[in-house]
Amino acid sequence: MRRMIPTTFSSKFQGAVSMNALRCYVSEFISTFFFVLAAVGSVMASRKLTAGDVTGPFSVLIPATANAFALSSSVYISWNVSGGHVNPAVTFGMAVAGRISVPTAMFYWTSQMIASVMACLVLKVTVVEQHVPIYKIAGEMTGFGASVLEGVLAFVLVYTVFTANDPRRGLPLAVGPIFIGFVAGANVLAAGPFSGGAMNPACAFGSAMIYGSFKNQAVYWVGPLLGGATAALVYDNMVVVTAAEDDRGSSTGDATGV
């Protein structure tokens, strides 16, 4: 048994550095770069349009709309290549569910993090009159409460991703990314004024890196990663009907004439 462990890990690592895997990493980089550029850029655009008023409804409505459209597009363009994760929480959920290997997940994370930093760097260089915004916790929220909220939001998002990826639903290719974008936009509308509605550790990390402050960064990692893992476990173990259960159900239906 001891000899099988390194062989298994070695095979997984070799698969993580294959040409097909490299295409996935490039796809994740491109899609994450586009999403973060639009998500963080929309906050900067809303500040410009509202003359810096961060308390008005448009300060949430504009980023929420941008998140919905950008995530739908980003997931769609990488859907058939890398799976359209665009989010370390989604990748973590896929790894927990055993759909991708741990080495592959680590490379996914690396691509997503670098893409986020690069997108925020582009915003910093091009929009010189503004600082790159970071996700902040509202005064009436505690760090624990914000982490729980981000975790719940990530649960909903990752659960939707797993549902959209389920081939048994027979959804057309473009439908899944649209619903994923919808739930992301709804989450930003619901939680934007309180925790920022990040749901994405890479997006929070990139903006914090360029801004130069990692305050409360754990909120945007612990919550989303736990929420994503929980969504993966719930969907795969409690919601999805296994092949054996499906066969039993079919046999019962045939026997009763239903």
Side-chain angles (χ1 to χ4, degrees), residues 31-46:
S31 57
T32 305
F33 178 90
F34 171 55
F35 170 72
V36 175
L37 187 73
V40 178
S42 65
V43 177
M44 301 172 73
S46 68

Side-chain angles (χ1 to χ4, degrees), residues 88-109:
V90 175
T91 302
F92 189 63
M94 292 292 179
V96 169
R99 302 195 182 190
I100 61 174
S101 67
V102 173
T104 299
M106 297 303 294
F107 282 114
Y108 266 56
W109 275 17

Side-chain angles (χ1 to χ4, degrees), residues 25-110:
Y25 308 147
V26 172
S27 178
E28 280 296 306
F29 177 89
I30 294 173
S31 57
T32 305
F33 178 90
F34 171 55
F35 170 72
V36 175
L37 187 73
V40 178
S42 65
V43 177
M44 301 172 73
S46 68
R47 290 181 178 179
K48 177 70 173 179
L49 294 174
T50 59
D53 181 16
V54 297
T55 61
F58 287 104
S59 65
V60 177
L61 182 59
I62 293 175
T65 304
N67 270 263
F69 285 130
L71 188 58
S72 295
S73 302
S74 299
V75 171
Y76 178 78
I77 62 178
S78 58
W79 189 261
N80 284 339
V81 182
S82 63
H85 294 189
V86 198
N87 186 335
V90 175
T91 302
F92 189 63
M94 292 292 179
V96 169
R99 302 195 182 190
I100 61 174
S101 67
V102 173
T104 299
M106 297 303 294
F107 282 114
Y108 266 56
W109 275 17
T110 302

Side-chain angles (χ1 to χ4, degrees), residues 208-220:
M209 172 69 75
I210 299 303
Y211 184 84
S213 173
F214 290 93
K215 183 178 180 180
N216 296 320
Q217 190 67 192
V219 168
Y220 304 104

